[in-house]
Amino acid sequence: MSYADVIRNVSNALKNDLELSNLIQRTFRLDRHSLIRIMGKTTTTAYRRIHEQLAATIDRAIEKLRKGERDKGLDESERSEILLDLSRSLILIEYQRARDQISQDVANILINVINGLLDSVRQREINVDDLRKIFERGRALIDTFAVIAYEYGR
């Protein structure tokens, strides 16, 4: 598997537990050279900042979605909050990339995860339980790259 495969499979991994499991497993099996190339100039501090904000955003969304499962839905203000929080995470990623604190490859991976989450939240017809699962998978993906950032970042 290559970096391009990782990017290509992010959206599938958000939709399916088996695809998520396969992507995580294949990512950890990438050779050291490939992982170093993906991480590039990414600093552990920059990734940690992004991860803290994005993980908190995803965790808050998951809690809202769990509540929505009990209450039979997600109201518009909660949906708007989730969209705004995810958008803030996009800004932070672009800011860290512009400062050369993360590689373009890491930025692309994280942006693909966030875009998948944003697209899912915008779908009005999606079941709240399914949306929660998508966010849980997104959390697993960013955690996967946190491990790699701490091992291969600078």
Side-chain angles (χ1 to χ4, degrees), residues 77-140:
S77 67
E78 292 170 323
R79 189 179 300 272
S80 292
E81 282 178 43
I82 293 170
L83 291 170
L84 181 59
D85 284 347
L86 289 169
S87 297
R88 285 183 181 129
S89 294
L90 277 176
I91 293 166
L92 179 58
I93 292 165
E94 289 296 342
Y95 175 71
Q96 295 290 30
R97 187 198 52 74
R99 293 181 58 232
D100 283 335
Q101 297 299 301
I102 63 170
S103 71
Q104 185 65 53
D105 291 346
V106 169
N108 289 341
I109 291 166
L110 294 173
I111 288 167
N112 279 356
V113 170
I114 294 172
N115 284 339
L117 297 175
L118 285 167
D119 291 345
S120 297
V121 172
R122 290 181 185 125
Q123 293 176 18
R124 301 281 182 212
E125 67 280 353
I126 194 167
N127 176 300
V128 176
D129 182 53
D130 291 340
L131 188 56
R132 178 187 51 78
K133 289 176 184 174
I134 290 168
F135 271 78
E136 288 173 345
R137 292 180 195 117
R139 180 67 148 96

Side-chain angles (χ1 to χ4, degrees), residues 54-91:
L54 186 51
T57 294
I58 291 172
D59 291 345
R60 280 191 304 273
I62 289 169
E63 281 307 308
K64 287 176 184 171
L65 294 165
R66 283 190 179 125
K67 180 184 176 287
E69 289 171 10
R70 290 188 301 271
D71 298 344
K72 303 295 184 219
L74 188 66
D75 71 34
E76 282 307 307
S77 67
E78 292 170 323
R79 189 179 300 272
S80 292
E81 282 178 43
I82 293 170
L83 291 170
L84 181 59
D85 284 347
L86 289 169
S87 297
R88 285 183 181 129
S89 294
L90 277 176
I91 293 166

Side-chain angles (χ1 to χ4, degrees), residues 135-147:
F135 271 78
E136 288 173 345
R137 292 180 195 117
R139 180 67 148 96
L141 286 171
I142 67 164
D143 290 347
T144 299
F145 287 94
V147 171

